[in-house]
Amino acid sequence: QVQLVQSGAEVKKPGASVKVSCEASGYTFTDYYIHWVRQAPGQGLEWMGWVSPNSGGTNYAQKFQDRVTMTRDTSIRTAYMELSTLISDDTAVYYCARDRAGYSSTWGQGTLVTVSS
Amino acid sequence: DIQMTQSPSSLSASVGDRVTITCRASQSINAYLNWYQQKPGKAPKLLIYAASSLQSGVPSRFSGSGSGTDFTLTISSLQPEDFATYYCQQSYSAPRTFGQGSKLEIK
């Protein structure tokens, strides 16, 4: 079945970077964009950007433009989201989701990133 | 950026009730509007895409309508498993903004 499996929870200090992975299975990896969405504790959903597994092209929300890098490794069907210069407000659950034609039909289970000194 | 505003932010209803949640975009987004359901500790689940298309496997009591700037999600007869938070999202342009969410609670 179609599945996205994310890496485990992370605890980082302010100023550090985090890299979250998202491994796809059950479909042709290069046929769907991978979007990243985060959710701070008790808050709503915030779209961060997408990566095209086919071309490697990216599109980032302006808010994260200077700090986020989304990549993919087609050989292992995995997408990555790296966020740098972490602050406490980056504490959130980070989700990947596959998307084609404008909607995200399958989501990963989420990765909790905690930023704390 | 396109702003998405949902109403109400929270509501209480009973099993069997008909419930409507609205979503308004700050500019026309044609029919590029999705609805997601999220339960505590879980990833969002796609319910409706392109404003009115029911995602495969989603019960037919869920329906969506609208175009341009005004959209609605309707649950025709609430079931116990429907108590959750609902989000709209526009896919007309990046950034793909979400509404703030509508929390549906049991009365």
Side-chain angles (χ1 to χ4, degrees):
Chain A
Q1 75 281 21
V2 174
Q3 204 171 3
L4 297 174
V5 177
Q6 298 182 221
S7 48
E10 303 261 14
V11 179
K12 296 292 184 181
K13 294 191 181 302
S17 297
V18 68
K19 191 171 186 177
V20 179
S21 67
C22 173
E23 182 178 3
S25 61
Y27 72 97
T28 302
F29 182 55
T30 51
D31 281 353
Y32 290 77
Y33 283 36
I34 296 291
H35 289 233
W36 290 90
V37 173
R38 77 176 186 178
Q39 186 171 39
Q43 303 302 307
L45 302 170
E46 182 174 31
W47 184 83
M48 299 180 70
W50 56 251
V51 58
S52 165
N54 186 37
S55 67
T58 56
N59 188 327
Y60 304 142
Q62 184 69 29
K63 174 178 180 177
F64 303 103
Q65 187 77 35
D66 296 334
R67 296 197 296 135
V68 74
T69 304
M70 297 178 187
T71 57
R72 92 294 188 218
D73 184 337
T74 56
S75 68
I76 55 171
R77 306 165 56 86
T78 299
Y80 301 93
M81 187 284 299
E82 184 170 21
L83 190 62
S84 64
T85 321
L86 292 168
I87 61 175
S88 58
D89 286 352
D90 292 319
T91 294
V93 176
Y94 290 76
Y95 294 101
C96 63
R98 74 165 194 166
D99 189 295
R100 187 169 69 179
Y103 53 91
S104 296
S105 54
T106 303
W107 294 63
Q109 83 277 17
T111 297
L112 175 62
V113 175
T114 302
V115 182
S116 174
S117 56
Chain B
D1 297 0
I2 298 173
Q3 306 303 315
M4 307 299 294
T5 304
Q6 290 181 230
S7 62
S9 295
S10 65
L11 69 161
S12 298
S14 301
V15 173
D17 284 354
R18 179 183 180 91
V19 167
T20 297
I21 297 169
T22 65
C23 179
R24 174 164 289 177
S26 60
Q27 66 181 73
S28 177
I29 57 171
N30 295 333
Y32 291 95
L33 191 283
N34 307 315
W35 289 98
Y36 298 91
Q37 176 194 66
Q38 188 180 34
K39 296 181 179 180
K42 299 296 186 180
K45 173 187 175 183
L46 178 67
L47 299 176
I48 302 286
Y49 63 93
S52 60
S53 295
L54 190 68
Q55 172 67 357
S56 176
V58 174
S60 59
R61 63 181 179 272
F62 290 93
S63 63
S65 65
S67 66
T69 60
D70 294 315
F71 302 87
T72 61
L73 172 70
T74 299
I75 310 172
S76 61
S77 179
L78 272 174
Q79 298 302 300
E81 60 268 29
D82 300 337
F83 292 93
T85 300
Y86 294 84
Y87 294 93
C88 63
Q89 182 202 29
Q90 63 84 15
S91 58
Y92 180 79
S93 66
R96 296 260 197 99
T97 40
F98 289 90
Q100 80 278 16
S102 295
K103 186 174 183 179
L104 178 53
E105 298 176 307
I106 300 174
K107 184 181 287 184

